[in-house]
Amino acid sequence: DRAFDMLGDSILKDRVVDGDAPEFQIDEVELDPSDPLIARKISGSYTVPCFLSPDCGPGSTMELDADGLPTRNGNYEANMECIVPEAAFAPDAPKMRPMVFGHGLFGNASGVAGGPNPPLAATGMILCATDEIGMSTSDVAQVMTKALKDLSDFDVLADRLAQALLNELYLARLMYHPQGLGTHPNFQDGNGFTDGESLISTDEVFYMGASQGGILGGPLTALSPDFIQSSLLVGAMNYSILLPRSIDFDLYAQIMYPNYPKELERPLLFELMQMLWDRSEPNGYAHVMTDNPPPDTPEHKVTLQIALGDHQVSNFASENM
């Protein structure tokens, strides 16, 4: 609420875009990507209020005020990667539907150009992603050398992940705001250097996340004032249950378990971790994710797709969600 009020939009339930779009800049454009379905790969950044201390970088945590709310510490320049399909430039092509993409475990925004995303974009969508900080490539060192060696420092993961949700909500607003990405020549139907007409539809915006992005898409959906439809691919909830059942945890267990050698204590430790994780994973938001939204927030619809026999995201955790 505080972040969107800074843009000039204080009524979020009505799904009417008021106020300004987040500020952004474009840094690099690839006009001839190797994938024939993609016309442009665009990289840049956008400005988000930072609610971590000292600066929203790796290792930053919430600094709470007397009311228990995180204090603001200036702004954070969140990265973004976008793909514009060749289909957007076809004669009489409709405007492209904008969608935010959530990447996989400890990945980054570059995942937007891989997997099923180019064929999906070819159906009439422009996709953008940002690093899901807290559990992105840039956080691996903090997680492995700090959070898992001493769980008293686990907030370096959980707190920064909460900021990641805000970053993705701002990206959604930037994508379909009439004064957002569509005002830049590289998101227009010209040659990328001269002004043309925006390629982006400003009617709706959507979210799709895969694996980690499908998990974090749960709280993101619950909080979203803009997209009311999300697709969560192999989503789940309760990281405390999911972790020891995931083949991905084998590596991280080699770091955590020697520091906590008593098997009997580990379930308690996972639950203590979960209490912090609840700020930014579905376990804290599933009850308000669809038709019982948080105050001043619209209702949402979710498509949850489960991979049968998944060795990374346990079907049990998906069934919980």
Side-chain angles (χ1 to χ4, degrees):
D1 291 343
R2 292 158 65 191
F4 277 85
D5 193 53
M6 293 171 192
L7 295 176
D9 194 345
S10 58
I11 303 175
L12 300 181
K13 188 174 184 177
D14 61 6
R15 301 192 64 235
V16 175
V17 176
D18 289 326
D20 301 322
E23 296 181 4
F24 73 98
Q25 68 176 35
I26 301 302
D27 299 324
E28 184 178 352
V29 181
E30 187 179 348
L31 294 178
D32 294 303
S34 57
D35 193 316
L37 296 176
I38 301 176
R40 297 173 184 168
K41 289 173 65 176
I42 303 171
S43 303
S45 61
Y46 59 101
T47 303
V48 187
C50 173
F51 288 97
L52 301 179
S53 179
D55 58 8
C56 275
S60 297
T61 56
M62 291 181 187
E63 192 174 77
L64 304 183
D65 62 19
D67 296 322
L69 297 174
T71 56
R72 183 186 176 192
N73 291 288
N75 293 323
Y76 176 68
E77 296 302 316
N79 69 321
M80 66 175 174
E81 304 264 352
C82 302
I83 56 172
V84 179
E86 282 285 356
F89 299 94
D92 301 320
K95 289 186 179 294
M96 301 290 101
R97 303 187 307 280
M99 186 169 73
V100 175
F101 172 73
H103 62 72
L105 182 66
F106 288 108
N108 55 50
S110 66
V112 73
N117 290 345
L120 183 62
T123 67
M125 305 192 87
I126 287 177
L127 278 64
C128 291
T130 186
D131 289 0
E132 292 176 331
I133 61 172
M135 293 185 72
S136 67
T137 304
S138 63
D139 296 283
V140 171
Q142 287 286 330
V143 170
M144 297 186 77
T145 63
K146 195 170 184 179
L148 292 178
K149 285 193 172 182
D150 182 353
L151 294 180
S152 298
D153 292 323
F154 193 73
D155 52 355
V156 302
L157 183 154
D159 285 7
R160 199 163 183 249
L161 202 56
Q163 176 74 34
L165 298 178
L166 178 57
N167 296 353
E168 289 185 295
L169 293 177
Y170 254 48
L171 179 57
R173 176 60 60 99
L174 175 63
M175 288 194 74
Y176 93 126
H177 193 293
Q179 300 304 314
L181 293 184
T183 62
H184 194 279
N186 281 292
F187 290 96
Q188 297 174 354
D189 59 7
N191 59 13
F193 300 99
T194 58
D195 289 343
E197 185 177 348
S198 172
L199 297 169
I200 303 176
S201 169
T202 58
D203 295 335
E204 295 277 355
V205 64
F206 303 91
Y207 175 83
M208 182 183 77
S211 194
Q212 177 181 288
I215 296 169
L216 301 185
L220 192 65
T221 300
L223 297 169
S224 173
D226 291 331
F227 60 82
I228 60 168
Q229 174 68 59
S230 62
S231 180
L232 309 182
L233 312 182
V234 295
M237 72 182 223
N238 299 83
Y239 263 115
S240 59
I241 292 175
L242 193 157
L243 279 186
R245 291 163 174 80
S246 173
I247 195 171
D248 291 328
F249 189 64
D250 288 357
L251 170 64
Y252 302 103
Q254 294 176 33
I255 299 169
M256 176 182 162
Y257 285 176
N259 296 292
Y260 298 95
K262 296 183 179 180
E263 182 101 25
L264 210 56
E265 292 178 350
R266 290 175 188 164
L268 173 62
L269 294 172
F270 282 127
E271 291 307 315
L272 292 173
M273 294 159 68
Q274 184 67 54
M275 292 173 69
L276 297 179
W277 237 325
D278 281 351
R279 297 172 177 169
S280 46
E281 77 114 290
N283 194 58
Y285 295 86
H287 62 297
V288 292
M289 200 180 297
T290 55
D291 58 0
N292 178 39
D296 195 27
T297 306
E299 295 183 1
H300 306 94
K301 294 181 179 180
V302 173
T303 302
L304 176 60
Q305 299 185 43
I306 298 173
L308 184 62
D310 196 327
H311 286 208
Q312 294 178 297
V313 180
S314 165
N315 288 167
F316 180 74
S318 298
E319 293 292 347
N320 278 347
M321 187 172 176

